[in-house]
Amino acid sequence: MTSLTLEPGILHIAASDFDARPMSFLTADSQRTGYEPELARHLCEQLGLTPVWHNLPMAKFYTCLSTGKYDVVWFNQAITPDRQQVVDFTQPYGLFDEAVLVKQDSGIAAIADLAGKRVGGLAESTNIALVEGFPGAIAVPYPGSDQVLPEMLAALRAGDIDALIDDELVLVVAAEEDDSLEIAFTLPTRVPFAIATPKTNPTLQAALNGAIAAAQADGTMATLWAEWIPWKPFPFG
């Protein structure tokens, strides 16, 4: 019988270790938790797999699957046409908005206020692509290192950029933890996030799709969503 994964019984997950709560983060004793890891543990249990996470720079997410070392990419990944050229995606496990984070009293409260402002974001992401549609805004892309979010937050605090665009969930937490920062506005984009799988392993994609569908049908996904993202309605009611 052909193994579902590269190593029988193990799902090797390409991810990053930086704090992206509530989606994914490491506890003080280096245990990974959050909405994505807890969902991963549930899906793996249903499939008879053990999840093992690996810390990679985000810039390597879409080349790493060809190395034969990783089964999936599972870390805050939006489905985009460009990414679909090189990987397959499962059905979404969430729909997420984007937001703009600024310093308190910046005077930025809408897209129009970003004219002439430097807006940081992850290079080649759905977030930074939005900046191109902001009249007069100056996009400042940051390479996808394994510490890219902390690097962008530090740049905002230091004044190297005037605003930061990223997934609303992680920016809400950043603003809650730093009184000098605030959410300027949210963009209701409802971007689908999913698990990236190699095009060479459609069987794994199908198995994960089945497990996601079951977790949605039996209420497990909604329960995890309510635990980790209670301020937003579950998007698959």
Side-chain angles (χ1 to χ4, degrees):
M1 179 178 176
T2 302
S3 174
L4 190 65
T5 53
L6 292 167
E7 182 180 354
I10 304 293
L11 184 72
H12 288 286
I13 302 172
S16 285
D17 283 356
F18 67 78
D19 193 324
R21 67 185 69 200
M23 295 293 278
S24 180
F25 64 99
L26 300 182
T27 62
D29 58 352
S30 298
Q31 296 301 304
R32 189 178 294 269
T33 190
Y35 176 63
E36 289 181 335
E38 297 308 329
L39 180 58
R41 290 187 176 97
H42 175 78
L43 299 187
C44 283
E45 182 179 359
Q46 305 311 304
L47 296 173
L49 300 172
T50 299
V52 175
W53 287 269
H54 302 270
N55 180 38
L56 273 74
M58 294 181 77
K60 294 186 177 180
F61 278 179
Y62 292 93
T63 57
C64 74
L65 292 183
S66 64
T67 66
K69 298 179 180 179
Y70 312 100
D71 294 296
V72 299
V73 175
W74 194 348
F75 189 84
N76 290 25
Q77 294 303 293
I79 300 173
T80 70
D82 286 346
R83 291 170 179 172
Q84 287 176 310
Q85 295 298 309
V86 292
V87 299
D88 289 329
F89 282 98
T90 62
Q91 67 184 65
Y93 54 81
L95 302 175
F96 300 99
D97 297 327
E98 287 148 299
V100 171
L101 186 73
V102 297
K103 285 185 176 181
Q104 290 275 3
D105 303 318
S106 68
I108 297 171
I111 289 175
D113 299 326
L114 292 173
K117 304 295 186 182
R118 298 158 299 173
V119 184
L122 176 64
E124 300 180 3
S125 68
T126 54
N127 301 313
I128 200 71
L130 287 172
V131 180
E132 298 176 4
F134 299 165
I138 303 164
V140 182
Y142 283 78
S145 77
D146 58 359
Q147 290 294 317
V148 64
L149 181 58
E151 289 168 359
M152 293 190 296
L153 289 170
L156 178 60
R157 295 186 186 103
D160 296 331
I161 53 177
D162 303 297
L164 168 58
I165 187 168
D166 209 313
D167 303 323
E168 179 195 30
L169 294 182
V170 298
L171 296 187
V172 164
V173 173
E176 288 177 347
E177 295 182 343
D178 187 339
D179 291 340
S180 72
L181 305 176
E182 65 179 356
I183 299 291
F185 57 90
T186 295
L187 298 155
T189 47
R190 291 177 64 82
V191 174
F193 279 29
I195 310 164
T197 63
K199 287 185 175 292
T200 54
N201 194 351
T203 304
L204 176 59
Q205 181 205 30
L208 288 168
N209 273 335
I212 292 170
Q216 183 176 333
D218 68 13
T220 299
M221 195 184 303
T223 298
L224 289 173
W225 184 282
E227 177 182 354
W228 292 102
I229 316 171
W231 63 89
K232 291 185 75 70
F234 182 61
F236 307 116

